[in-house]
């Protein structure tokens, strides 16, 4: 059966992408605001829950502290998940591009 | 200003608190016994309620740390329930949940809370060795004003006996309400 977090939600997707660099929670939110061009602004409870959830599944892990803040980073397993999602999305994108030649769809 | 109020519904409590804040107050303390302390302020505040089970010290620090980075201030929670009260000055980011998944998970936490409290009450309302009626057996053979007096005297005790069963019904209804909201959010 498919993992319960797959396909990745927009929130989870952006967090995993942002955590290819080690960041603490609030910096994750700021980074996501930047890389989504301001379209995705995470709220505190959503970010907390997502970090908990991703850590529980071993897709991200704490790698140190900056003051009282915990710094997280994506794990090898998390990277593998991103690669799978990339393949899935690339395939969907290819369908978008091929839609003109596949009229019967 | 202190106000006394008892809530059995987390969303109604949140709504009521925000109504007070809209009148130009900020909340400074909430005691588990239903005493809410407010202070007059010229700024606008908003309050959001989260539900989290007991969190060990380390986790509580992580939890509070993230909210505080976003500008939320922790109002001490009641020692009984796991409601976490968050307050901040109103701006363009006034929510604690920004997607359906996290809001659905919030209702899921409330569902399991209602479920377990309901189960606990069910265990308390189960009395295998007590097959007598709710009222004292001799009561119904009394007459006139004596019956009335005895009846009124015993009624509070009967309600007390029934309390766990009534609470089972209450938590059952709460569970169903949270489940409805949860399943609406889960539908895509």
């Amino acid at each position: 059966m498919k993992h319960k977090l797959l396909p990745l939600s927009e929130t989870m997707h952006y967090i995993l992408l942002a955590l290819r660099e080690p960041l603490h929670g609030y910096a994750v939110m700021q980074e996501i605001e930047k890389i989504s061009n301001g379209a995705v602004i995470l709220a505190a409870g959503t970010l907390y829950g997502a970090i908990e959830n991703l850590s529980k599944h071993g897709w991200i892990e704490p790698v140190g502290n900056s003051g009282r803040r915990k710094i997280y980073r994506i794990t090898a397993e998390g990277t593998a998940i991103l690669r799978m999602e990339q393949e899935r999305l690339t395939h969907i994108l290819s369908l978008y591009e091929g839609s003109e030649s596949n009229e019967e769809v | 200003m202190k106000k006394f109020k008892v809530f059995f519904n987390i969303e109604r409590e949140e709504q009521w608190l925000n109504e007070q804040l809209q009148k130009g107050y900020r909340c400074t303390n909430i005691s588990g016994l239903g005493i809410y302390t407010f202070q007059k302020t010229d700024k606008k505040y908003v309050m959001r309620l989260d539900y989290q089970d007991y969190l060990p010290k380390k986790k509580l620090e992580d939890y509070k740390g993230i909210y505080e980075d976003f500008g939320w201030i922790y109002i001490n929670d009641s020692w009984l329930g796991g409601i976490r009260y968050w307050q901040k000055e109103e701006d363009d980011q006034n929510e604690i949940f920004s997607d359906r998944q996290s809001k659905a998970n919030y209702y899921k936490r409330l569902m399991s809370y209602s479920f377990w409290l309901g189960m606990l009450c069910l265990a308390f309302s189960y009395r295998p060795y007590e097959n007598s009626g709710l009222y004292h057996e001799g009561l119904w053979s009394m007459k006139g004003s004596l019956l009335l007096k005895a009846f009124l005297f015993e009624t509070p005790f009967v309600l007390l006996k029934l309390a766990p069963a009534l609470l089972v019904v209450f938590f059952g209804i709460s569970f169903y309400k949270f489940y409805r909201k949860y399943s609406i959010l889960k539908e895509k």
Side-chain angles (χ1 to χ4, degrees):
Chain A
M1 209 185 91
K2 232 179 188 179
H3 193 282
K4 71 170 195 173
L5 292 182
L6 290 175
L8 289 177
S9 69
E10 190 172 49
T11 301
M12 297 296 191
H13 217 141
Y14 269 113
I15 292 176
L16 285 177
L17 287 170
L19 284 178
R20 290 180 297 182
E21 298 290 323
L23 292 171
H24 61 71
Y26 192 70
V28 170
M29 184 279 276
Q30 290 174 312
E31 177 67 13
I32 290 174
E33 184 173 359
K34 202 171 79 194
I35 61 178
S36 71
N37 303 321
V40 179
I41 301 173
L42 298 186
T46 299
L47 180 64
Y48 171 77
I51 286 178
E52 278 293 294
N53 223 338
L54 291 170
S55 310
K56 195 177 81 192
H57 290 102
W59 295 358
I60 63 170
E61 63 186 0
V63 289
N65 287 295
S66 145
R68 61 170 179 80
R69 293 161 166 161
K70 237 185 217 172
I71 295 173
Y72 295 89
R73 186 181 196 152
I74 196 166
T75 60
E77 209 176 321
T79 310
I81 294 290
L82 276 186
R83 208 168 299 128
M84 268 172 54
E85 282 290 274
Q86 186 179 11
E87 268 171 39
R88 184 180 68 84
L89 291 170
T90 308
H91 176 69
I92 291 176
L93 278 179
S94 76
L95 295 178
Y96 267 87
E97 279 149 19
S99 64
E100 282 153 46
S101 54
N102 279 327
E103 292 282 81
E104 72 264 69
V105 179
Chain B
M1 177 184 74
K2 282 184 194 287
K3 283 198 173 179
F4 175 75
K5 198 128 170 129
V6 176
F7 287 96
F8 295 100
N9 178 318
I10 183 171
E11 290 182 306
R12 229 168 273 157
E13 183 174 5
E14 184 179 271
Q15 195 189 348
W16 178 80
L17 279 164
N18 282 302
E19 281 163 14
Q20 309 311 306
L21 302 190
Q22 289 297 316
K23 291 178 196 159
Y25 289 99
R26 77 189 174 90
C27 185
T28 54
N29 192 41
I30 295 171
S31 93
L33 298 167
I35 300 161
Y36 299 82
T37 313
F38 297 96
Q39 210 172 58
K40 205 73 185 141
T41 171
D42 338 319
K43 292 174 188 156
K44 285 253 169 184
Y45 284 87
V46 287
M47 189 98 122
R48 293 290 176 259
L49 274 50
D50 184 23
Y51 178 85
Q52 292 282 338
D53 287 328
Y54 165 76
L55 294 171
K57 198 166 171 275
K58 280 267 174 228
K59 278 217 164 165
L60 184 64
E61 272 171 26
D62 291 346
Y63 172 71
K64 282 164 77 171
I66 286 183
Y67 274 76
E68 281 163 1
D69 281 343
F70 281 74
W72 293 99
I73 296 156
Y74 193 64
I75 312 286
N76 47 320
D77 53 353
S78 64
W79 56 273
L80 260 176
I83 297 178
R84 319 281 164 158
Y85 299 87
W86 292 102
Q87 186 176 241
K88 82 192 265 287
E89 258 185 70
E90 201 170 54
D91 55 26
D92 53 349
Q93 300 295 327
N94 296 326
E95 297 302 329
I96 55 173
F97 301 116
S98 55
D99 68 1
R100 293 165 74 100
Q101 200 176 18
S102 55
K103 189 81 187 179
N105 286 337
Y106 161 75
Y107 285 119
K108 212 163 138 188
R109 291 195 293 277
L110 289 170
M111 273 162 64
S112 78
Y113 163 79
S114 308
F115 177 80
W116 289 111
L117 280 181
M119 282 296 147
L120 194 71
C121 293
L122 194 65
F124 273 110
S125 61
Y126 180 60
R127 297 160 186 278
Y129 305 113
E130 196 177 308
N131 45 15
S132 59
L134 283 167
Y135 286 87
H136 194 257
E137 272 171 60
L139 179 74
W140 307 111
S141 52
M142 291 177 180
K143 286 197 178 72
S145 68
L146 192 61
L147 170 66
L148 185 68
K149 275 184 201 153
F151 180 79
L152 290 177
F153 176 77
E154 279 195 25
T155 296
F157 295 98
V158 169
L159 286 177
L160 211 61
K161 255 196 244 179
L162 278 177
L166 294 173
L167 283 170
V168 170
V169 174
F170 168 76
F171 287 119
I173 293 169
S174 303
F175 176 85
Y176 179 71
K177 281 188 186 158
F178 293 137
Y179 170 72
R180 290 287 304 151
K181 295 195 170 169
Y182 168 76
S183 61
I184 288 167
L185 286 165
K186 273 281 159 177
E187 278 168 23
K188 290 214 173 148

